[in-house]
């Protein structure tokens, strides 16, 4: 099947070539990091002086590379000093002490290095020390709504949007197809099981697997709700699972390291400070969240919309927080380049009570930064209401935070 180039990431990768930085693609398994590498090869292999050294640790042919010495030897055997060497290593965290050869080859002339990993801690160890910060991380997410349309040959419509809200944006669904619902859920289940097994259970040697499974289900059911490790511990004890708040924190961090979830901190809008406790949780891919939560989307559509809006705000380059006001909560406070945006998410604005609840909280913020309400309200693209922009979800996913 032909590789579809994800221009957003292709441009990001290419912009860091030739700058003496190791390019690191991070993100959950199966979000498309490998295909970004394959697309890179397809776009650069025709260059007259290109020598591409590609190591895919998920392929049987590369299983013999188990440590840094073997990795260095393989690269050295295929390195051509008279050409421009592109060194690509996929799922590098599976190679012990990989940091040493990467540091060595980074200093070679006419050499660019691109590596991928499915664990956020891969950058917190020796790599940052050995490279003295000489790396550039690019966080790869599952497909945006527009990419979803392109990958599946769909037109922009309410039906396409609802399919995206249900199945999420894992690129591998392009091969599976969307025609057989059972096949879609089977694929998502296989991805989830792989992430849990390889990046959580095996990596952290988890023994209390029943609690691990109950915790991820709890998080899938409570996305968008402020919670703490203590409150989760108390809830689990009510179900007969006696686990401490520290264990909850540890297991939550394992999900975060594997990019299954994001823990979003709260931001005091009036005091302009970040709270370190009682965070909200959102999933990296809403399809996996729906698989874990089970049931029908009709019962929790607002949670799903909020999750999708959060992930798209991250994709747009915002640092995202949960907003805290004295009179309530604002779903998202978004910061980029010193500018703030405030975003409230709702399913439908169908009556005056709902309108006052959603718009009223934004009116309580006494500054001039742009404010938005995003909803699935029918026949809506963009509308101004008392200085607050009301965006339809489809419009937001196509054009971002644009004032009416």
């Amino acid at each position: 099947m032909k590789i579809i180039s994800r221009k957003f990431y292709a441009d990001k990768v290419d912009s860091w070539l030739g700058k003496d930085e190791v390019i690191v693609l991070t993100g959950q398994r199966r979000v498309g990091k490998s295909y970004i590498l394959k697309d890179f090869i397809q776009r650069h292999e025709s260059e007259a002086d290109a020598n591409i050294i590609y190591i895919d640790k998920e392929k049987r042919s590369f299983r013999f590379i188990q440590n840094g010495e073997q990795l260095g030897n393989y690269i050295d055997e295929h390195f051509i000093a008279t050409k421009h060497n592109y060194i690509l290593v996929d799922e590098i965290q599976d190679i012990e002490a990989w940091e040493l050869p990467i540091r060595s080859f980074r200093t070679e002339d006419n050499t660019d290095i691109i590596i991928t990993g499915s664990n956020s801690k891969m950058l917190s160890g020796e790599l940052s020390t050995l490279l003295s910060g000489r790396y550039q991380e690019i966080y790869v997410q599952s497909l945006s709504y527009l990419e979803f349309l392109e990958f599946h040959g769909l037109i922009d419509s309410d039906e396409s949007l609802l399919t995206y809200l249900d199945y999420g944006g894992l690129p591998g669904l392009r091969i599976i197809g969307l025609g057989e619902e059972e096949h879609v859920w089977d694929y998502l289940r296989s991805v989830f099981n792989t992430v849990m097994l390889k990046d959580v259970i095996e990596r952290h040697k988890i023994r209390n697997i029943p609690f691990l499974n109950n915790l991820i289900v709890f998080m899938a059911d409570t996305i968008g709700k402020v919670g703490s490790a203590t409150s989760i511990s108390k809830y689990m004890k009510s179900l007969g699972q006696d686990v401490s708040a520290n264990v909850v924190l540890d297991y939550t961090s394992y999900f975060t390291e594997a990019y299954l979830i994001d823990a979003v901190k709260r931001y005091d809008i009036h005091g302009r400070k970040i709270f370190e406790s009682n965070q909200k949780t959102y999933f990296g891919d809403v399809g996996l969240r729906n698989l874990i939560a089970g049931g029908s989307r009709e019962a929790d559509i607002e949670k799903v919309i909020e999750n999708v809006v959060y992930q798209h705000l991250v994709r747009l380059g915002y640092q995202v927080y949960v907003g805290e006001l004295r009179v309530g909560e604002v779903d998202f406070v978004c910061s980029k380049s010193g500018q703030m945006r405030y975003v409230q998410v709702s399913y439908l604005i169908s009556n005056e009570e709902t309108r006052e609840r959603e718009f009223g909280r934004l009116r309580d913020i006494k500054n001039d930064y742009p404010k938005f309400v995003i909803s699935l309200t029918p026949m809506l693209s963009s509308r101004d209401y008392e200085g607050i922009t009301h965006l339809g979800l489809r419009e937001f996913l196509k054009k971002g935070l644009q004032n009416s």
Side-chain angles (χ1 to χ4, degrees):
M1 183 174 287
K2 181 182 177 182
I3 294 175
I4 297 178
S5 181
R6 299 177 70 179
K7 188 176 186 303
F8 178 77
Y9 295 110
D11 289 347
K12 274 193 170 186
V13 169
D14 286 357
S15 72
W16 284 102
L17 295 177
K19 295 183 179 178
D20 200 26
E21 299 271 327
V22 175
I23 301 168
V24 186
L25 304 180
T26 60
Q28 179 196 286
R29 289 181 189 267
R30 302 294 183 266
V31 292
K33 300 186 300 296
S34 299
Y35 277 87
I36 292 172
L37 292 186
K38 291 175 182 177
D39 174 57
F40 180 90
I41 294 171
Q42 189 171 273
R43 291 184 295 106
H44 290 274
E45 62 184 351
S46 61
E47 296 171 4
D49 66 339
N51 178 48
I52 297 176
I53 305 170
Y54 177 45
I55 298 165
D56 182 358
K57 275 299 292 176
E58 293 200 333
K59 296 289 187 184
R60 184 187 309 172
S61 56
F62 291 105
R63 286 180 184 173
F64 72 93
I65 300 178
Q66 298 292 325
N67 55 52
E69 182 179 1
Q70 293 165 338
L71 174 62
N73 289 339
Y74 181 87
I75 296 173
D76 199 40
E77 290 171 6
H78 295 81
F79 194 90
I80 302 176
T82 57
K83 291 198 170 187
H84 191 119
N85 292 276
Y86 295 109
I87 301 171
L88 282 55
V89 188
D90 199 9
E91 297 297 350
I92 201 170
Q93 77 276 352
D94 293 336
I95 302 173
E96 185 179 351
W98 54 268
E99 303 93 340
L100 298 176
I102 293 300
R103 178 186 66 171
S104 175
F105 283 101
R106 185 193 66 80
T107 61
E108 294 288 340
D109 293 334
N110 298 320
T111 300
D112 283 293
I113 301 175
I114 309 173
I115 62 177
T116 81
S118 302
N119 187 277
S120 63
K121 277 200 168 181
M122 67 179 291
L123 294 179
S124 63
E126 293 185 19
L127 179 61
S128 58
T129 301
L130 291 172
L131 296 185
S132 302
R134 301 304 298 268
Y135 62 85
Q136 184 63 34
E137 179 182 4
I138 298 174
Y139 174 46
V140 180
Q141 296 174 269
S142 56
L143 301 178
S144 68
Y145 174 60
L146 290 178
E147 287 178 322
F148 179 81
L149 297 179
E150 180 183 11
F151 268 57
H152 295 285
L154 300 174
I155 62 170
D156 175 30
S157 66
D158 287 344
E159 183 179 1
S160 296
L161 177 59
L162 291 175
T163 303
Y164 180 66
L165 294 178
D166 201 14
Y167 294 156
L170 291 186
L173 286 176
R174 178 180 174 229
I175 299 173
I176 304 301
L178 304 178
E180 295 288 341
E181 183 176 9
E182 184 178 351
H183 290 174
V184 172
W185 294 117
D186 283 346
Y187 173 76
L188 292 176
R189 188 173 295 106
S190 72
V191 172
F192 172 67
N193 289 339
T194 299
V195 173
M196 288 288 280
L197 179 63
K198 291 189 175 182
D199 297 323
V200 180
I201 295 172
E202 290 182 353
R203 178 172 294 276
H204 298 286
K205 299 178 174 58
I206 302 297
R207 293 185 178 181
N208 193 351
I209 295 177
F211 169 67
L212 185 79
N213 290 330
N214 285 339
L215 179 60
I216 197 67
V217 170
F218 175 83
M219 290 182 166
D221 191 50
T222 58
I223 55 172
K225 291 184 178 180
V226 174
S228 67
T230 300
S231 64
I232 295 173
S233 174
K234 289 179 180 178
Y235 174 75
M236 290 299 173
K237 286 178 181 178
S238 72
L239 299 179
Q241 291 190 315
D242 191 3
V243 293
S244 68
N246 285 336
V247 172
V248 173
L249 285 172
D250 286 343
Y251 280 32
T252 301
S253 71
Y254 302 156
F255 296 145
T256 303
E257 289 171 18
Y259 298 100
L260 264 176
I261 65 168
D262 286 348
V264 184
K265 295 179 179 179
R266 295 178 300 136
Y267 179 88
D268 182 349
I269 293 174
H270 292 304
R272 297 185 180 181
K273 62 181 180 180
I274 298 171
F275 296 109
E276 295 297 331
S277 60
N278 296 355
Q279 303 170 332
K280 277 189 175 185
T281 297
Y282 296 98
F283 276 70
D285 180 76
V286 75
L288 292 184
R289 179 268 162 191
N290 295 339
L291 169 80
I292 298 164
S296 168
R297 298 289 70 74
E298 294 178 7
D300 57 12
I301 185 64
E302 192 152 355
K303 297 178 185 178
V304 174
I305 295 172
E306 192 172 325
N307 201 126
V308 167
V309 169
Y310 166 75
Q311 286 296 343
H312 197 60
L313 288 169
V314 172
R315 187 178 290 110
L316 293 173
Y318 290 102
Q319 181 70 49
V320 184
Y321 303 96
V322 176
E324 288 287 337
L325 288 167
R326 296 185 184 94
V327 295
E329 177 187 286
V330 174
D331 288 325
F332 301 119
V333 177
C334 312
S335 174
K336 181 166 65 172
S337 302
Q339 299 295 309
M340 307 290 280
R341 304 285 187 274
Y342 302 100
V343 175
Q344 193 73 1
V345 181
S346 182
Y347 173 31
L348 298 173
I349 308 293
S350 57
N351 54 52
E352 192 57 36
E353 180 183 354
T354 305
R355 182 183 302 276
E356 180 57 32
R357 182 181 70 243
E358 304 298 353
F359 285 81
R361 292 181 185 176
L362 295 176
R363 285 200 308 269
D364 289 334
I365 303 173
K366 305 303 181 183
N367 61 46
D368 295 329
Y369 288 124
K371 304 171 180 69
F372 301 85
V373 171
I374 299 173
S375 79
L376 263 182
T377 301
M379 307 298 291
L380 173 70
S381 57
S382 179
R383 183 183 304 152
D384 186 82
Y385 180 79
E386 296 185 15
I388 299 168
T389 302
H390 187 187
L391 284 176
L393 179 60
R394 278 171 58 194
E395 194 74 4
F396 164 69
L397 292 176
K398 290 187 294 181
K399 298 181 180 178
L401 294 179
Q402 294 190 0
N403 295 76
S404 59

